[in-house]
Amino acid sequence: MKILFIHQNFPGQFKHLAPALVERGHDVVSLTLRVKEAGSWKGVRLVPYDIKRAPSKGLHPWLVDFETKMLRAESCFVAARKLRDEGFTPDVIVAHPGWGEPMFLRDLWPTARIGLYCELYYSNRDNDVGFDPEFPKTDQETDTIRLRLKNMNNMMHRGVADLGISPTKFQAGTYPEDWQKVISVIHDGIDTNVVKPNADASFELEGGRVLTREDEVITFVNRNLEPYRGYHVFMRALPKLLRERPNAQVLIVGGDEVSYGAAPPKGRTWKQIYIDEVRGKIATPDWERVHFLGKVPYDRFLSMLQITRAHVYLTYPFVLSWSLIESMAIGAPIVASDTAPLQEVITHGETGRLFPFFDGDRMVDEISLVLDDAQMRAGMGKAARAFAVEGYDLESRCLPRQLAWIDQLFDMPAGDVTV
């Protein structure tokens, strides 16, 4: 097959699938913004594209999001047309539509079978929008309109997709019924041969102190420290947590930028906003047990999870982080918010402990319960790893299903979707 991947930050969610298709002998190409010059990655030919024009000034604010995606779609179309004119005709196209890029590819290659990565369909019900009362929308009625317009990108892509793929049932379930008919729920996959327990793991802090499994380590991980992943709830619980756990070392991983949701006030970061809020309630000796690690290399991230006695994870009802399944595969004892899609993977008292998202006191109680019971920690960690291996292992579960999904795409009638 000739297979084209489209992802502005390739490989993104396709980091395992694309190389696996190369290993099968397929001709695999990616169009991406990530590189400036043509090259290759694990046998995938990388073809760059760039944005062809700047956003309009004075555009109606409800249309800004769609115009941004339209600019990506146009730019990707121009680069794809050049590929076509050079003689490349893909049998299968796999794309993430979140930035609008594959919107017009059916017009270029009407016989290609197109599979889309379905990450989330926007809604103001049972979802991230309006979940946190601390960040209310200024006008609920107009926000509903804004969300509907934001879904224009999803709506446009329905006429493009032959099949969809989504990593969790919750994420697939956010889509309308006509989408769900074509979406397969298949997780991106975790390499549980690499992401696994290590009784001899250690983690060196700045200053030289080395932590091991003998230490009382509590971990918290975000890509970027922000409310969507419960950073504000965790920070507000820190004073109580540090008082009740005088021997605990708290390791916090995450950057200062924004991955999801609203940006903080200009010139500030969510990280510092909540540090400033709680610092006066924490004695200096206790504060010295809190370690902000920033973004860490993957091997240090795994070592940290291998020594933790309580790994804390919170999220709005939203996309599930890879780090949660990785922590399960490592056998970390998990204390997590009782929100979707966590209910798919965490069974309270079996594969982890759940608490209401906004209840920081309950979170501290659950952490203490886990820290005080070594038998509970061991049992939950073992059960979590077994669950991760059984349902989310890359080689034995997820990758074979992804490859079968590609084969299903290829076997579909060419150009079956009505444009």
Side-chain angles (χ1 to χ4, degrees):
M1 282 184 271
K2 291 184 177 180
I3 303 171
L4 176 64
F5 282 89
I6 311 284
H7 196 300
Q8 57 98 26
N9 193 34
F10 182 84
Q13 290 87 350
F14 310 131
K15 68 177 183 178
H16 302 301
L17 177 58
L21 291 165
V22 171
E23 290 181 5
R24 279 190 161 193
H26 302 303
D27 180 6
V28 184
V29 177
S30 172
L31 274 174
T32 179
L33 278 175
R34 186 169 188 171
V35 298
K36 299 299 181 185
E37 297 182 0
S40 65
W41 173 80
K42 295 188 176 182
V44 179
R45 179 158 65 99
L46 302 179
V47 179
Y49 80 88
D50 54 9
I51 306 299
K52 296 301 180 183
R53 68 181 79 193
S56 305
K57 293 182 180 180
L59 189 69
H60 192 292
W62 293 349
L63 295 176
V64 169
D65 178 80
F66 187 68
E67 189 203 29
T68 300
K69 292 176 171 58
M70 184 65 66
L71 294 174
R72 295 283 184 99
E74 177 196 25
S75 300
C76 188
F77 175 86
V78 170
R81 183 167 57 188
K82 186 173 183 294
L83 265 181
R84 183 202 62 183
D85 293 347
E86 292 170 352
F88 183 78
T89 300
D91 300 298
V92 168
I93 298 172
V94 181
H96 193 313
W99 299 274
E101 296 165 294
M103 196 179 297
F104 305 123
L105 297 188
R106 178 71 71 192
D107 299 270
L108 282 176
W109 290 299
T111 62
R113 295 76 158 174
I114 300 178
L116 298 183
Y117 190 94
C118 299
E119 193 160 27
L120 199 73
Y121 198 93
Y122 300 102
S123 171
N124 61 353
R125 295 188 302 272
D126 302 323
N127 212 324
D128 56 311
V129 177
F131 173 76
D132 193 337
E134 186 170 343
F135 304 97
K137 301 302 179 182
T138 54
D139 187 327
Q140 184 63 46
E141 290 177 332
T142 59
D143 195 61
T144 298
I145 296 170
R146 181 188 64 82
L147 283 175
R148 191 158 68 246
L149 290 172
K150 195 174 178 68
N151 270 327
M152 284 174 62
N153 180 56
N154 279 321
M155 296 172 186
M156 290 287 288
H157 280 95
R158 182 62 190 95
V160 173
D162 290 291
L163 292 178
I165 188 171
S166 192
T168 67
K169 294 176 183 177
F170 166 75
Q171 289 167 254
T174 63
Y175 284 79
E177 185 177 350
D178 66 320
W179 267 103
Q180 292 188 41
K181 292 176 182 177
V182 300
I183 295 176
S184 297
V185 177
I186 307 172
H187 194 266
D188 310 322
I190 302 298
D191 188 346
T192 63
N193 292 316
V194 173
V195 185
K196 61 184 179 181
N198 178 7
D200 298 322
S202 62
F203 190 90
E204 184 174 352
L205 297 171
E206 185 177 347
R209 178 172 179 179
V210 177
L211 300 175
T212 70
R213 291 168 61 89
E214 298 301 314
D215 296 291
E216 187 171 282
V217 175
I218 301 167
T219 52
F220 179 83
V221 174
N222 286 181
R223 182 191 305 174
N224 286 297
L225 301 173
E226 56 188 330
Y228 253 66
R229 298 304 196 192
Y231 171 66
H232 57 325
V233 175
F234 183 78
M235 288 298 291
R236 287 167 177 165
L238 259 186
K240 178 181 178 181
L241 180 61
L242 293 167
R243 284 195 307 269
E244 296 193 3
R245 310 307 306 188
N247 297 316
Q249 299 290 325
V250 181
L251 310 186
I252 300 174
V253 168
D256 297 341
E257 300 171 355
V258 175
S259 298
Y260 313 108
K266 188 174 181 180
R268 306 194 69 191
T269 64
W270 290 122
K271 172 185 172 182
Q272 195 60 46
I273 285 170
Y274 293 108
I275 288 177
D276 293 343
E277 181 178 323
V278 304
R279 180 64 183 88
K281 304 174 185 177
I282 300 172
T284 296
D286 288 339
W287 185 249
E288 291 173 351
R289 296 187 284 118
V290 180
H291 310 277
F292 286 89
L293 306 175
K295 294 183 177 181
V296 300
Y298 192 61
D299 59 342
R300 276 178 57 78
F301 165 73
L302 295 183
S303 295
M304 183 189 72
L305 291 179
Q306 287 165 339
I307 67 166
T308 190
R309 290 192 182 183
H311 178 64
V312 183
Y313 178 83
L314 298 93
T315 184
Y316 288 6
F318 194 58
V319 174
L320 186 67
S321 302
W322 284 337
S323 67
L324 189 278
I325 304 297
E326 288 169 323
S327 65
M328 296 183 75
I330 274 175
I334 297 167
V335 178
S337 61
D338 191 6
T339 46
L342 284 166
Q343 293 101 333
E344 289 182 38
V345 295
I346 300 293
T347 300
H348 184 67
E350 295 182 15
T351 55
R353 306 286 300 182
L354 297 172
F355 64 91
F357 181 94
F358 299 105
D359 194 341
D361 287 342
R362 174 71 177 276
M363 182 189 78
V364 173
D365 293 344
E366 292 291 348
I367 293 171
S368 291
L369 188 68
V370 170
L371 293 176
D372 287 335
D373 193 331
Q375 185 175 357
M376 175 191 290
R377 292 198 305 273
M380 287 197 313
K382 184 177 180 181
R385 175 162 174 82
F387 183 88
V389 171
E390 175 63 28
Y392 297 85
D393 178 65
L394 176 68
E395 295 296 334
S396 65
R397 293 291 186 270
C398 297
L399 190 55
R401 294 185 65 201
Q402 290 170 20
L403 292 169
W405 180 78
I406 293 288
D407 290 340
Q408 182 184 355
L409 262 177
F410 181 70
D411 290 340
M412 295 184 75
D416 193 45
V417 171
T418 301
V419 179

